[in-house]
Amino acid sequence: TLLPIAGIVGTLGTGWLITRRMAGREATAAAVILFALAGLVLLFPLASGSLLASAALLALVGAATYGTGSVLLSTMPLVLSRRRETASVAAGIDFAFNLGASLGGVLIGVLVDRAGWGAVFVVLAVAAALAGGVLMVAAGRLRPAPDG
């Protein structure tokens, strides 16, 4: 129950951050949260000795994951596409999320068998950082064309 509760807090917190502090910079806010997520994932091996530290870190990772996911699925299609393309962009992002969820367990299992849990944390951190980088590039280069 910790992860969903942290996810709700993360979603509300991300919404507040974007609405109150970073209006018009939704992609930048999501990218910053993804970079923070990469750092948090790398801390997991250090927290393995303490149940409280592991639970707190899991809550922070859940908040960052759910918060970023809600922004990517709801706000980014509106920000980075024309009005007529919004549904297609949202469907593409949703497809990527579902593909990752479908393959994630299998790929992580293979990685654990071959390289251990340390490699899993590194791969997840790199993936979050790459996603943040791609989002930063998209925020700087892609601007919606005027509807017309």
Side-chain angles (χ1 to χ4, degrees):
T1 59
L2 177 64
L3 196 59
I5 292 170
I8 291 168
V9 171
T11 300
L12 294 173
T14 301
W16 176 85
L17 175 71
I18 289 173
T19 303
R20 302 282 185 208
R21 301 287 181 211
M22 299 188 81
R25 297 178 293 172
E26 295 87 355
T28 304
V32 167
I33 295 169
L34 283 168
F35 291 134
L37 179 61
L40 289 170
V41 168
L42 289 175
L43 292 176
F44 262 110
L46 300 175
S48 64
S50 167
L51 181 61
L52 183 61
S54 294
L57 195 53
L58 181 63
L60 289 172
V61 166
T65 302
Y66 280 89
T68 304
S70 66
V71 171
L72 291 176
L73 287 172
S74 62
T75 306
M76 296 319 311
L78 296 170
V79 171
L80 297 176
S81 66
R82 289 187 214 139
R83 184 180 221 170
R84 293 181 187 138
E85 299 168 348
T86 302
S88 297
V89 172
I93 293 171
D94 191 42
F95 171 76
F97 268 62
N98 288 316
L99 182 64
S102 299
L103 297 177
V106 173
L107 295 176
I108 287 175
V110 169
L111 192 57
V112 168
D113 285 346
R114 295 194 178 173
W117 278 102
V120 171
F121 294 120
V122 170
V123 167
L124 291 175
V126 168
L130 283 174
V134 167
L135 199 52
M136 288 294 282
V137 170
R141 292 191 180 169
L142 297 177
R143 295 286 178 229
D147 289 327

